[in-house]
Amino acid sequence: MRPLAEHRCGICSQSLSSADAECGNPICNWPLERRYFTRVDALALFAHPLKGPVKAFKYDEGKEGWAVIFGRLIVGWMNDHAEEMADIDLVIGNPSAPDRAPLQHIETIMLVAHSEDATDRWPIVAPDSPPLIKLRETPKSAGGGVRWGEKMEAARAHAAALHLRQSVRGKRILLFDDVFTTGATFHTVGKLLTEAGATEVRGLVLARVPFGS
Ligand SMILES: [Zn+2]
């Protein structure tokens, strides 16, 4: 997998030209009291060889097998970043589809991650009782050339279609998603979780889309 850049934004993991360069992602320049996540880590860049499987898993039928690889990858990341994981109380998948039978997409990855983490070292919630579910489909924001405002609009609609099924009060949450670009989804879902009492929302994604691409 293509690793993240050596110099990268401490909030959104975007590649930077130098250690002191400013991040061009608008959300990173918002004050923390306006942004509902502290930072998003990524396993790799959204580039070959990870890009193809991530897209196929998301959009093509019959590619469910990739969930096994992705679930193992995220638990591997957690094991390698034990210090950063130490204060996380709950790992939640960002639900992408309202249809939960059979399990779809992010929840399939969470299912693998939950069983891969055989000793329950990390607080990965089993997908048979996910704290967060999606009640209805919302317009997609994916695709090149989608503008910031449209992404934020789609992210708001997504968060509005979510339903929280258990208390997150006082908890530090690691929200898992497959891909991210701007952080709009982490912001809107993070707002939902923060308003429900979560003390911190941090993100983890498989792949970070190079900003502006
Ligand atoms: Zn940034």
Side-chain angles (χ1 to χ4, degrees):
M1 299 196 293
R2 190 175 314 168
L4 297 176
E6 183 193 345
H7 302 304
R8 58 181 184 266
C9 174
I11 296 166
C12 79
S13 298
Q14 157 74 0
S15 309
L16 301 176
S17 54
S18 65
D20 52 2
E22 257 185 49
C23 181
N25 187 357
I27 213 162
C28 297
N29 298 309
W30 294 1
L32 192 53
E33 60 272 20
R34 245 189 89 197
R35 189 182 67 233
Y36 291 98
F37 64 92
T38 48
R39 68 164 203 272
V40 179
D41 289 312
L43 271 64
L45 282 178
F46 192 53
H48 181 75
L50 187 60
K51 185 173 180 173
V54 168
K55 279 174 83 170
F57 177 63
K58 194 172 186 129
Y59 299 114
D60 302 344
E61 297 267 327
K63 301 289 182 185
E64 292 78 10
W66 282 107
V68 176
I69 310 279
F70 298 151
R72 286 180 184 165
L73 281 174
I74 61 171
V75 173
W77 185 91
M78 290 173 185
N79 292 337
D80 289 346
H81 296 79
E83 218 163 282
E84 290 157 61
M85 286 297 298
D87 61 353
I88 293 292
D89 300 305
L90 204 57
V91 181
I92 303 181
N94 176 38
S96 46
D99 311 310
R100 302 198 56 259
L103 289 181
Q104 295 207 12
H105 196 53
I106 296 296
E107 282 165 344
T108 327
I109 302 178
M110 298 306 290
L111 177 69
V112 174
H114 182 256
S115 51
E116 178 73 10
D117 180 34
T119 58
D120 286 333
R121 185 176 180 192
W122 311 118
I124 303 169
V125 180
D128 51 6
S129 57
L132 202 56
I133 57 167
K134 189 162 182 175
L135 301 178
R136 57 183 181 276
E137 203 55 78
T138 55
K140 302 268 186 289
S141 71
V146 179
R147 278 189 297 236
W148 165 259
E150 294 168 43
K151 274 200 176 289
M152 189 55 88
E153 188 117 331
R156 284 206 182 94
H158 168 74
L162 300 183
H163 173 60
L164 191 58
R165 305 199 306 172
Q166 75 171 63
S167 171
V168 293
R169 189 157 296 283
K171 293 191 189 306
R172 287 201 169 87
I173 294 173
L174 185 70
L175 185 65
F176 170 74
D177 210 347
D178 55 353
V179 172
F180 100 118
T181 312
T182 61
T185 302
F186 284 95
H187 175 66
T188 58
V189 180
K191 183 169 191 279
L192 174 89
L193 296 168
T194 303
E195 285 174 352
T199 49
E200 185 185 349
V201 178
R202 227 178 280 164
L204 178 66
V205 294
L206 285 172
R208 206 254 179 264
V209 178
F211 195 65
S213 70

